[in-house]
Amino acid sequence: MIMTWSMLQGVVTLPLRSRWCCAVLAVLLFCTVPVAVGADAGEHCVTVPEQDYTDAFRFRPSTDHDQLEARLPEGVRIRSIRYQRFSVFNMEDPKENSTVYRWANQLHSITREWVLEDQMLLHEGEVYEQRRAEESERILRNLRFIYDARVRPWRWCGQYVDVEVLTRDIWTFTPSLSLSRSGGENAYAVGFRDANFLGTGKQVLVEYDSDEERAGYTLLYADPALLGSRWQMRARYTDNDDGYDHGLRLEKPFFSIYEPWSAGTSLDQQKLEEKLWFRGDEVSEFDHESEQYRVYGGLAAALEVDSRVNRWLFGYNYESHAFDFSDSDIPPARLPEDRDYSYPYIGFQSVEDKFAELHNFDYLGRTEDIFVGERYDWSLGYSGEGLGATRDQLAFRGAYSNTLLAEDRQFWVVGTWLSGFLGIDDRELENFWWEVETRYQYKQSERWALFSGLRLDYTDGLTVDNQLTLGGNNGLRGYDLHYQVGDRSFVWNIEQRYYSDWHPFRLLRVGFAAFVDVGRAWYEGGDNGSNGGVLANAGFGIRLNSSRAEKSSVVHIDFAFPFVRDDDVDDVQVLFTVKERF
């Protein structure tokens, strides 16, 4: 039954008692009209049944939602977007419905709806595009405080579609107490941090940390959507026992493949006691004071048919490096020369919009957005004395990566990057660094995977304050940190990995690894001292990945046994490190 405008006007002109009668009659007629499941009054709608709460909380696939999305015709517009925000623990799961976990949910400030809206590429009134929905998911999952996310249609009515956004928070307010050991050196940190302060998406950090090189206090504030815009801000203040580290960055990045332009500026000031290493020991120390100012931007072309976006980059960099003797009792034989760089530059970037959703890859038990396309970029600048630089040089940088194989069981990626300066007059390289890396992973089953990685490094013209080292957590786990030095190196790692389904206390995911590392750093034609040849070790380790906090941090506990030993090499190295990969 449809009531027209003229009928409504007639009701308005009736006496009060008659108007009440008509209103009651209208309600009775409306309530007696049969409404089919999935239909709205006045138009036919297809509505997806609500997914089970626990299945939605765990982001299990929904066939009904997938089928509805496949049926949507082109050009349908978004009528509404609703948000379902899950807290840290699932109170409908008997294993999580306990007093401690209820308190955790009550103390946690769930992410506010407007924080999620600021990150979305879909908006009410716009045409629904599946690609934008998928990229919105990746953007939300990339936030430090979101464990997982889904963006999907749940109702379709003619030319309109209703969309829902599902997100689940992680615990972000943590008093930090961390201990690590790598290459014979200990490190620790105490303080507190919150990556989602009061549910606003702002990051706050107050911390005291100490490692093999320095100790100090750090204050940090970061905003991923400044005033609800695409602009981001990050401010850092660090006071160390050997200097300071201050930084401020304000930028509008290429937020997505649809972003037409980017811009930004940054300021970094740093003073520290630089250390040089040999066989895991400090051989000299000196003060290094640096400043860097950057202004940069970019313009993007329209997205190509093959899902590739091309961008022109431009900007200006200024760097200043000054050196002095510190109060150390192991000063260097000579200080590095002070140097300044000042250069405008132009660059180009090309990125394919190709991602795969994987599980048990770099992390344990959660959705991972793995880039599986081709990407390359380069930049070239001129650093001249007339601009305030120490000497005339070309500043260059380049990077390339490509996924050669991405199947259900196999993943193979290669990449390379290089950077440095080339003298205009003498054609000599300065701080040239070239790295080539390849990683291959074969999934033997849902839980087992074989991993192999190879990394090659080559340098030329490194200034005294820069070193290429090998040992500890950068490749050779059976040897001290910075054990070998050189101007070139290689390291090969092979691991047998096991991603268990053990989920103790519903807080941690646990994995295991057995590994072999082989590598060497050396100078071509130069003596690298005793034990300067190819080194190797084997070992085993435990991997811990929180399912409720620090989703991108994997705790590594490794026991490594060196094959090639000298008097200064221990029988076993025990490493406690936190990395961004398994």
Side-chain angles (χ1 to χ4, degrees):
M1 178 178 180
I2 301 176
M3 182 173 286
T4 65
W5 174 245
S6 59
M7 294 171 64
L8 290 172
Q9 286 179 316
V11 171
V12 172
T13 57
L14 290 173
L16 179 61
R17 180 178 296 178
S18 299
R19 276 182 275 166
W20 273 106
C21 293
C22 289
V24 172
L25 180 62
V27 170
L28 291 174
L29 287 173
F30 176 79
C31 292
T32 57
V33 174
V35 180
V37 175
D40 284 357
E43 60 180 333
H44 175 70
C45 294
V46 179
T47 304
V48 174
E50 187 173 351
Q51 189 178 15
D52 176 76
Y53 184 91
T54 296
D55 289 344
F57 183 89
R58 296 178 180 175
F59 296 90
R60 289 174 175 166
S62 170
T63 303
D64 293 329
H65 287 88
D66 293 342
Q67 290 177 348
L68 176 61
E69 188 166 46
R71 291 179 58 187
L72 292 180
E74 292 186 5
V76 292
R77 293 191 173 274
I78 301 170
R79 180 169 59 182
S80 67
I81 300 178
R82 70 181 187 186
Y83 292 84
Q84 185 171 8
R85 298 162 295 147
F86 298 111
S87 193
V88 182
F89 294 97
N90 179 12
M91 293 298 98
E92 295 193 9
D93 185 342
K95 295 182 179 180
E96 296 183 17
N97 188 9
S98 66
T99 302
V100 174
Y101 295 154
R102 282 197 298 272
W103 284 351
N105 274 0
Q106 292 169 1
L107 292 173
H108 173 73
S109 297
I110 196 166
T111 302
R112 299 168 189 249
E113 192 170 299
W114 55 264
V115 175
L116 305 176
E117 291 175 347
D118 290 342
Q119 305 296 319
M120 290 289 292
L121 301 180
L122 299 176
H123 304 282
E124 294 179 0
E126 296 180 350
V127 173
Y128 177 83
E129 296 181 45
Q130 184 176 351
R131 176 180 288 178
R132 286 181 179 265
E134 293 172 350
E135 186 160 5
S136 295
E137 285 184 359
R138 292 195 292 270
I139 292 171
L140 291 172
R141 276 195 290 264
N142 195 47
L143 295 172
R144 297 173 59 90
F145 46 87
I146 297 297
Y147 181 81
D148 207 340
R150 285 288 182 272
V151 179
R152 62 194 187 187
W154 67 277
R155 181 169 56 190
W156 168 34
C157 303
Q159 293 301 310
Y160 295 95
V161 63
D162 297 311
V163 176
E164 65 179 0
V165 179
L166 279 66
T167 60
R168 188 173 113 201
D169 281 13
I170 61 173
W171 182 266
T172 57
F173 179 77
T174 54
S176 60
L177 174 60
S178 65
L179 300 172
S180 64
R181 178 177 176 83
S182 175
E185 300 290 342
N186 298 319
Y188 69 92
V190 293
F192 74 88
R193 54 187 166 183
D194 196 337
N196 189 14
F197 184 67
L198 297 179
T200 63
K202 321 304 181 188
Q203 181 184 0
V204 178
L205 169 69
V206 178
E207 187 173 74
Y208 175 83
D209 62 277
S210 174
D211 58 23
E212 73 279 358
E213 296 189 2
R214 62 190 53 86
Y217 297 90
T218 298
L219 305 176
L220 183 143
Y221 175 80
D223 190 338
L226 190 62
L227 300 177
S229 69
R230 296 296 193 213
W231 286 87
Q232 302 175 357
M233 189 192 76
R234 182 182 179 88
R236 180 187 72 257
Y237 178 87
T238 298
D239 183 19
N240 294 318
D241 56 6
D242 64 345
Y244 53 82
D245 186 0
H246 307 154
L248 178 63
R249 184 176 73 233
L250 179 66
E251 66 175 349
K252 179 183 178 293
F254 283 114
F255 187 79
S256 71
I257 59 171
Y258 305 100
E259 207 70 25
W261 61 277
S262 72
T265 183
S266 66
L267 164 64
D268 293 282
Q269 297 176 327
Q270 188 178 63
K271 183 180 180 181
L272 53 83
E273 189 174 59
E274 202 81 66
K275 296 175 174 60
L276 299 183
W277 301 83
F278 187 75
R279 291 294 181 268
D281 296 324
E282 300 173 18
V283 294
S284 66
E285 298 175 340
F286 52 89
D287 284 341
H288 180 188
E289 189 170 3
S290 65
E291 293 184 355
Q292 182 178 32
Y293 307 93
R294 299 177 60 215
V295 180
Y296 50 91
L299 297 173
L303 187 65
E304 296 184 359
V305 177
D306 63 350
S307 300
R308 180 184 290 274
V309 60
N310 296 320
R311 299 161 177 159
W312 283 101
L313 312 174
F314 48 86
Y316 169 77
N317 280 7
Y318 174 79
E319 293 182 43
S320 174
H321 300 268
F323 305 91
D324 199 356
F325 290 102
S326 67
D327 57 2
S328 171
D329 56 1
I330 47 174
R334 63 183 179 88
L335 285 171
E337 294 183 2
D338 294 350
R339 62 185 187 274
D340 298 324
Y341 307 108
S342 178
Y343 58 94
Y345 69 87
I346 187 171
F348 182 79
Q349 181 184 83
S350 182
V351 183
E352 280 188 301
D353 181 37
K354 291 185 179 180
F355 288 84
E357 287 188 10
L358 303 179
H359 293 79
N360 288 342
F361 188 71
D362 285 335
Y363 309 109
L364 293 100
R366 75 175 183 89
T367 304
E368 302 177 50
D369 298 303
I370 304 300
F371 179 71
V372 295
E374 180 188 48
R375 175 183 182 132
Y376 62 88
D377 59 84
W378 59 263
S379 67
L380 184 65
Y382 173 74
S383 181
E385 294 182 18
L387 299 173
T390 303
R391 60 195 186 103
D392 296 337
Q393 293 174 303
L394 291 178
F396 58 88
R397 183 187 60 82
Y400 176 85
S401 66
N402 197 5
T403 303
L404 303 182
L405 194 62
E407 300 176 350
D408 291 340
R409 289 184 172 271
Q410 300 184 82
F411 183 84
W412 182 20
V413 61
V414 297
T416 182
W417 65 266
L418 58 84
S419 65
F421 298 88
L422 176 65
I424 299 295
D425 299 325
D426 55 18
R427 298 294 191 272
E428 289 186 356
L429 290 168
E430 180 177 280
N431 284 330
F432 174 73
W433 199 303
W434 182 21
E435 180 176 297
V436 180
E437 183 181 25
T438 179
R439 302 192 310 274
Y440 173 80
Q441 182 160 311
Y442 176 69
K443 291 295 291 286
Q444 298 148 315
S445 66
E446 181 183 359
R447 301 293 177 188
W448 291 91
L450 183 65
F451 170 86
S452 178
L454 175 66
R455 190 184 77 241
L456 310 173
D457 287 89
Y458 175 80
T459 67
D460 192 1
L462 291 185
T463 52
V464 178
D465 53 301
N466 288 306
Q467 269 190 308
L468 185 157
T469 67
L470 192 61
N473 62 1
N474 71 342
L476 284 174
R477 285 165 276 195
Y479 298 85
D480 286 344
L481 199 66
H482 311 300
Y483 184 74
Q484 284 187 337
V485 299
D487 59 10
R488 63 202 66 195
S489 71
F490 81 90
V491 61
W492 174 64
N493 313 107
I494 185 168
E495 290 189 358
Q496 177 63 64
R497 298 175 171 180
Y498 178 65
Y499 302 82
S500 79
D501 60 355
W502 187 22
H503 195 192
F505 307 108
R506 293 299 180 99
L507 296 175
L508 292 171
R509 299 284 184 181
V510 183
F512 303 92
F515 57 83
V516 173
D517 305 325
V518 180
R520 184 192 182 197
W522 74 100
Y523 295 99
E524 181 66 21
D527 181 17
N528 204 20
S530 63
N531 222 21
V534 175
L535 305 177
N537 63 255
F540 61 90
I542 302 171
R543 307 290 180 259
L544 304 175
N545 193 192
S546 174
S547 60
R548 310 295 175 175
E550 295 294 334
K551 62 179 182 180
S552 62
S553 298
V554 182
V555 178
H556 289 227
I557 306 174
D558 289 321
F559 301 85
F561 305 89
F563 294 153
V564 183
R565 296 187 53 214
D566 206 344
D567 293 339
D568 57 355
V569 177
D570 296 331
D571 294 339
V572 58
Q573 287 281 356
V574 182
L575 298 87
F576 297 88
T577 55
V578 179
K579 298 185 177 181
E580 293 185 353
R581 293 178 182 170
F582 188 97

